[in-house]
Amino acid sequence: MTKRYTLLLYIVCALFLALYAILCWHSRLASDDYSFIWEVYNHGIVKATYTQYILWCGRYAANFLGYVIYKYLDVDQTYYFLLPLLSMSLLLSGVYKSITNMSAHYNFTLHSSHKIILALSFPALLFFSTVDIGETWFWYNCLVHYVWSVIAFVWGLSFLFSRRNQFFSLIASALCFIYVGGASEVYSVVLGQFFLGLLYLRSKTSMRPFLSDKFNRRILIVFAFFLISFLITILAPGNYVRATFFPKPGFISTISLSIYMFGKLFLWFLPQRAVYIIVFASPFMIIGNSYNSGNTFILKNFFKKIK
């Protein structure tokens, strides 16, 4: 990448981080936050988490973390703005660490400046790709479910590919993916595809050579913990209790709703965010292209890949 383009990216990412910091400062407790504070105040962290699991929501890991936060911060707004700030810090450092460990695992040398740019671009891309930014990033009740699922995922990858202290990194990775499985059903399905893809790419041999590989065994162990955590979440009685509050969808209504949401996503939402997506996705393609073809860059081919 040229120095001018690199400098421009740093400026854009700095502006994004400044915007994010301002939004963090102005974030506030909302209605459901006060409800959770009341629950933890009257029932304690463990009982409140159990009650949610039995009567309303199976996301035990995210609920537990949320109750811990509400327990110690209570209704005082003073320090709550630090939660989204901490989330962004963990996301930035987690992506950087994951890129570093994955490139080292595959014996691929990646320049530090490129790792920094990618680590800055990923959270910005995720931020502007979010359907409801305010709810996902700055509503404390949702923050622990969605953003922290991604944080746990990137840190889980970092520990999974780490070469240092293999036993500790394995335990840390398993804990991260336990949180992913216990924080969001939808994200678990999406992020779980990473495991399936990774296992598929590494399972082109017979079973015995596959299991003899130490890294393959690490993947299977972490995936097992993730899968168990996910099953605990989706089998929660509270999920079925909550489902009774909504009308049962028929076949026609399900199809029509799916078509409507598909159109809304691709014809209304994505065109509005296309500029942001191109700006923050471009570094991944440009940097990847520079390593793949000897720093050559053809604009026509680049836009074909964007398309």
Side-chain angles (χ1 to χ4, degrees):
M1 292 192 300
T2 63
K3 291 183 178 179
R4 181 178 296 179
Y5 178 70
T6 302
L7 178 61
L8 180 62
L9 274 177
Y10 279 129
I11 293 173
V12 171
C13 289
L15 290 173
F16 162 69
L17 293 177
L19 167 66
Y20 187 85
I22 293 171
L23 295 174
C24 290
W25 177 255
H26 290 284
S27 64
R28 295 291 183 270
L29 288 162
S31 56
D32 280 16
D33 295 317
Y34 289 104
S35 174
F36 281 97
I37 291 172
W38 181 89
E39 287 184 15
V40 75
Y41 182 80
N42 286 275
H43 303 298
I45 297 172
V46 175
K47 187 176 180 180
T49 304
Y50 175 78
T51 303
Q52 279 283 321
Y53 185 83
I54 297 297
L55 299 178
W56 188 251
C57 177
R59 301 172 182 177
Y60 65 95
N63 286 333
F64 179 82
L65 177 61
Y67 282 127
V68 170
I69 294 171
Y70 291 132
K71 172 71 174 179
Y72 292 101
L73 295 185
D74 204 12
V75 294
D76 186 1
Q77 182 65 49
T78 305
Y79 299 106
Y80 273 100
F81 79 96
L82 294 174
L83 290 178
L85 275 180
L86 175 63
S87 302
M88 180 57 68
S89 300
L90 289 173
L91 192 56
L92 287 168
S93 57
V95 173
Y96 182 87
K97 196 69 176 175
S98 293
I99 294 173
T100 300
N101 289 346
M102 291 175 72
S103 59
H105 177 83
Y106 290 108
N107 297 316
F108 181 77
T109 302
L110 196 63
H111 298 309
S112 296
S113 60
H114 289 170
K115 289 190 287 186
I116 293 173
I117 289 173
L118 296 179
L120 289 170
S121 299
F122 178 82
L125 178 61
L126 184 66
F127 181 87
F128 288 109
S129 300
T130 304
V131 175
D132 192 324
I133 292 175
E135 180 177 308
T136 304
W137 290 82
F138 302 105
W139 188 7
Y140 311 126
N141 176 42
C142 288
L143 186 67
V144 294
H145 293 268
Y146 303 120
V147 177
W148 278 73
S149 290
V150 181
I151 292 171
F153 176 73
V154 296
W155 275 103
L157 284 185
S158 172
F159 290 121
L160 181 64
F161 284 91
S162 177
R163 293 181 174 180
R164 297 182 179 180
N165 201 330
Q166 295 285 300
F167 179 75
F168 168 78
S169 61
L170 178 62
I171 298 299
S173 181
L175 290 174
C176 287
F177 280 102
I178 287 173
Y179 186 88
V180 174
S184 173
E185 303 91 339
V186 176
Y187 278 21
S188 293
V189 172
V190 174
L191 301 179
Q193 294 178 44
F194 166 80
F195 275 115
L196 297 179
L198 188 59
L199 289 171
Y200 172 77
L201 291 173
R202 298 183 63 85
S203 62
K204 296 182 179 180
T205 59
S206 59
M207 184 59 67
R208 181 170 294 180
F210 175 79
L211 293 177
S212 64
D213 188 289
K214 186 177 181 179
F215 185 67
N216 289 340
R217 295 198 300 270
R218 287 170 61 86
I219 297 174
L220 289 174
I221 292 171
V222 172
F223 181 68
F225 278 104
F226 165 73
L227 185 60
I228 292 171
S229 178
F230 176 59
L231 290 175
I232 292 173
T233 299
I234 63 174
L235 294 177
N239 294 333
Y240 304 98
V241 173
R242 184 172 57 178
T244 61
F245 288 86
F246 302 95
K248 292 184 178 180
F251 177 76
I252 300 299
S253 62
T254 300
I255 295 298
S256 60
L257 180 61
S258 299
I259 294 174
Y260 170 76
M261 294 306 297
F262 184 87
K264 187 176 181 180
L265 173 65
F266 287 97
L267 300 179
W268 180 76
F269 173 76
L270 286 181
Q272 296 182 61
R273 307 290 177 88
V275 173
Y276 302 105
I277 293 172
I278 291 174
V279 167
F280 293 111
S282 297
F284 291 89
M285 302 181 69
I286 294 174
I287 291 174
N289 184 79
S290 68
Y291 282 95
N292 185 51
S293 53
N295 293 312
T296 59
F297 179 74
I298 302 174
L299 187 63
K300 184 179 179 180
N301 294 339
F302 172 74
F303 280 106
K304 283 184 178 179
K305 292 178 180 180
I306 286 287
K307 183 179 179 181

